[in-house]
Amino acid sequence: MTWLFLPLLIAAALAAYVGARSLARRRGEGQRPHSRPGQHGAYALIWTLIPALVVLLAAGIASGPLELQLTANGAPEVVSQLEPFRREAFFADARAVGAGRDAVQIWPAPYAELLPAEGRRAARIEQMLGLGSIVIATLAALLGGLFVFSQIRPGMRARNRVEGWIVGALFTCSVVAILTTVGIIASLVFDSIRFFASVPIAEFLFGTQWSPQTAIRADQIGSTGAFGALPLFAGTFLIMLIAMTVAAPIGLFAAIYLSEYAGPTFRAVVKPVLEILAGVPTVVYGFFAALTVGPAFRVFFNEIGAFLVGGPLDGLGQYLMLVQNQMALVAGMVMGIMLIPFVSSLSDDIINAVPQSLRDGSYAMGATKSETVKRVLLPAALPGVAGAMLLAMSRAIGETMIVTMAAGLAANLTLNPLDTVTTVTVQIVTLLTGDQEFNSTKTLSAFGLGLTLFLVTLVLNIIAQRIVQTYRQQYD
């Protein structure tokens, strides 16, 4: 019912805009008004729309708990005597029956006989609350419109008031963004403190065994898990290093070619293609890694191993014969391919933003195109290029799907790109998937991993900003 009211509310706000603009034009005839008629109309639209939307938002937040309370207060005594869990399940089925759906559970007598009546009562309560919120929202819109129409006069500063509303809306958006960030950090810190109360920080950061198991019984085998996250950090940065080794030079050189050497036709074709590739879902890259790149790498290394077996490098050959599809090299290579259009597109935009006067001055001094790129454009674009690389590194560190499908889930402390590894983000997803008990050390370890990853990323960004500021050059 509320959603059906929204088009009417928007129509009323537009009518208020038109009416206020017309009224301001009539009252301003022969005088010099402070604001234009359109600004009076915008002020009327705001005062008609915003109060009603605030009422609807408040009603949407409060109607659920209020409906539950009203439903529980008028319930039969036999229903009120149920356990809380069973009582909530009964009311949920009653609301479903009242909405014309089937009950989820099969209830014995006398609850089955009471279910239709309670469903009708729940439907009436929901309808009453919906109608009440619409009536209150309509009154709020009418009062807001009447207030504005009583204020319209040539000397009213409608422009300033509308700008004040806009500034307030922008400020609210900024506050919401800040509070969201604070809330995320607070949730990470709160649950991480609970985790580190059970697992020492030194063991978590420097332990070499990761096996987050918790026992149901005290005498169960493996009742104490291993929460050393060093293998996860090693796997994360190994895959990120491989990915950036692929993406950084290829993406940067592609951006330089597109910006300085490619013709207009070639650039007009390749640039949109790169931007489209940057939007390909990561699960597609994961399938590509698991079904194409992984088997190809396995066959390649197995053939090299077969060639080395029986010779002076027999041990290496035996190892290469055992290489499987899942390895850090496959995940890093495919992730690097994914990041190439990302790095290339950002770097190309940054290089093109360098003033043309710098290029002209370099050419006037007799420098070649390659010398201009190396000694003028790249130093000038260094802060932006460094930012693009940091953004690519952050995306590589946070990638999950490619690593899950191409690198495996084994927490191995190794720098060998041919071994299976896992990353912090993959383990966070694994720990929080399914029905989990948030009082267990196993589940809380995901928040410890998240907080550590957040702090490491923050430190890397601060270091990178210092480097950028050190080499930054200001150009007029």
Side-chain angles (χ1 to χ4, degrees):
M1 185 180 297
T2 303
W3 297 108
L4 297 177
F5 175 70
L6 286 178
L8 298 177
L9 178 62
I10 294 174
L14 293 176
Y17 171 82
V18 174
R21 186 177 61 176
S22 176
L23 181 61
R25 185 180 292 111
R26 289 197 305 270
R27 291 183 178 180
E29 291 180 355
Q31 303 184 44
R32 185 177 180 181
H34 176 273
S35 304
R36 296 180 178 179
Q39 293 163 345
H40 288 272
Y43 190 56
L45 184 147
I46 291 173
W47 269 99
T48 304
L49 191 63
I50 298 300
L53 290 179
V54 170
V55 170
L56 291 178
L57 180 61
I61 295 174
S63 61
L66 185 58
E67 180 181 352
L68 291 177
Q69 186 65 34
L70 292 176
T71 304
N73 289 340
E77 185 178 357
V78 66
V79 176
S80 301
Q81 292 175 354
L82 287 172
E83 297 179 357
F85 177 76
R86 294 280 293 169
R87 187 167 60 247
E88 292 178 3
F90 180 83
F91 289 146
D93 280 348
R95 289 192 296 272
V97 171
R101 301 189 301 270
D102 294 332
V104 177
Q105 301 185 28
I106 299 177
W107 295 90
Y111 306 108
E113 290 78 6
L114 293 173
L115 201 59
E118 288 300 302
R120 291 190 294 271
R121 190 169 68 88
R124 288 195 300 271
I125 291 174
E126 182 181 1
Q127 185 177 9
M128 178 187 67
L129 292 176
L131 184 61
S133 63
I134 290 177
V135 170
I136 297 175
T138 303
L139 291 176
L142 289 175
L143 292 176
L146 292 175
F147 169 75
V148 171
F149 278 87
S150 66
Q151 296 289 315
I152 293 178
R153 58 186 184 276
M156 189 182 78
R157 298 178 176 271
R159 181 187 64 196
N160 296 351
R161 298 183 182 183
V162 170
E163 291 176 353
W165 276 95
I166 294 174
V167 171
L170 295 177
F171 176 76
T172 302
C173 293
S174 302
V175 171
V176 168
I178 294 173
L179 292 180
T180 302
T181 304
V182 172
I184 293 173
I185 297 174
S187 64
L188 281 177
V189 171
F190 175 75
D191 289 308
S192 298
I193 291 174
R194 296 171 59 194
F195 169 69
F196 288 123
S198 303
V199 178
I201 297 180
E203 177 185 344
F204 175 76
L205 294 178
F206 303 108
T208 59
Q209 297 294 326
W210 177 260
S211 179
Q213 303 297 328
T214 55
I216 300 176
R217 304 185 311 273
D219 59 346
Q220 183 177 347
I221 298 176
S223 60
T224 57
F227 294 93
L230 193 58
L232 308 185
F233 301 146
T236 299
F237 286 99
L238 175 61
I239 293 178
M240 183 269 292
L241 182 62
I242 296 173
M244 293 307 299
T245 302
V246 174
I250 297 178
L252 181 59
F253 293 157
I256 293 173
Y257 178 77
L258 289 175
S259 177
E260 301 301 319
Y261 294 95
T265 303
F266 184 83
R267 176 182 171 83
V269 173
V270 174
K271 178 73 170 177
V273 172
L274 286 175
E275 293 178 350
I276 292 174
L277 289 177
V280 174
T282 57
V283 67
V284 176
Y285 288 103
F287 276 117
F288 175 65
L291 302 179
T292 304
V293 180
F297 275 43
R298 175 181 57 80
V299 172
F300 173 75
F301 287 112
N302 289 167
E303 290 180 352
I304 294 178
F307 177 77
L308 296 177
V309 168
L313 298 177
D314 181 75
L316 177 61
Q318 295 289 346
Y319 171 76
L320 294 178
M321 287 286 292
L322 299 177
V323 170
Q324 299 299 317
N325 293 348
Q326 291 185 327
M327 64 183 84
L329 183 61
V330 173
M333 291 287 291
V334 175
M335 193 181 299
I337 294 173
M338 179 192 72
L339 294 177
I340 286 175
F342 195 73
V343 174
S344 176
S345 180
L346 289 176
S347 299
D348 177 57
D349 294 338
I350 292 163
I351 293 174
N352 282 325
V354 175
Q356 183 63 33
S357 59
L358 296 179
R359 297 179 176 85
D360 297 338
S362 177
Y363 295 146
M365 296 295 293
T368 63
K369 185 179 288 290
S370 61
E371 291 173 339
T372 301
V373 170
K374 182 174 64 175
R375 299 187 178 184
V376 177
L377 294 183
L378 289 183
L382 177 63
V385 171
M389 297 300 174
L390 285 174
L391 201 57
M393 288 176 59
S394 299
R395 184 169 181 181
I397 291 175
E399 177 55 40
T400 303
M401 188 59 65
I402 295 176
V403 181
T404 303
M405 302 177 70
L409 297 174
N412 296 321
L413 180 58
T414 178
L415 294 179
N416 185 355
L418 302 183
D419 285 344
T420 58
V421 296
T422 188
T423 61
V424 172
T425 54
V426 171
Q427 287 300 310
I428 291 174
V429 172
T430 303
L431 292 168
L432 297 180
T433 300
D435 296 332
Q436 302 294 338
E437 183 182 359
F438 278 83
N439 290 327
S440 67
T441 308
K442 175 183 177 181
T443 306
L444 292 175
S445 63
F447 296 94
L449 290 174
L451 180 63
T452 306
L453 186 62
F454 169 78
L455 293 176
V456 170
T457 307
L458 179 63
V459 170
L460 288 176
N461 281 317
I462 292 175
I463 295 174
Q465 288 296 325
R466 293 294 183 184
I467 295 173
V468 169
Q469 291 175 2
T470 302
Y471 291 97
R472 184 187 298 272
Q473 300 182 28
Q474 300 294 337
Y475 296 93
D476 295 330

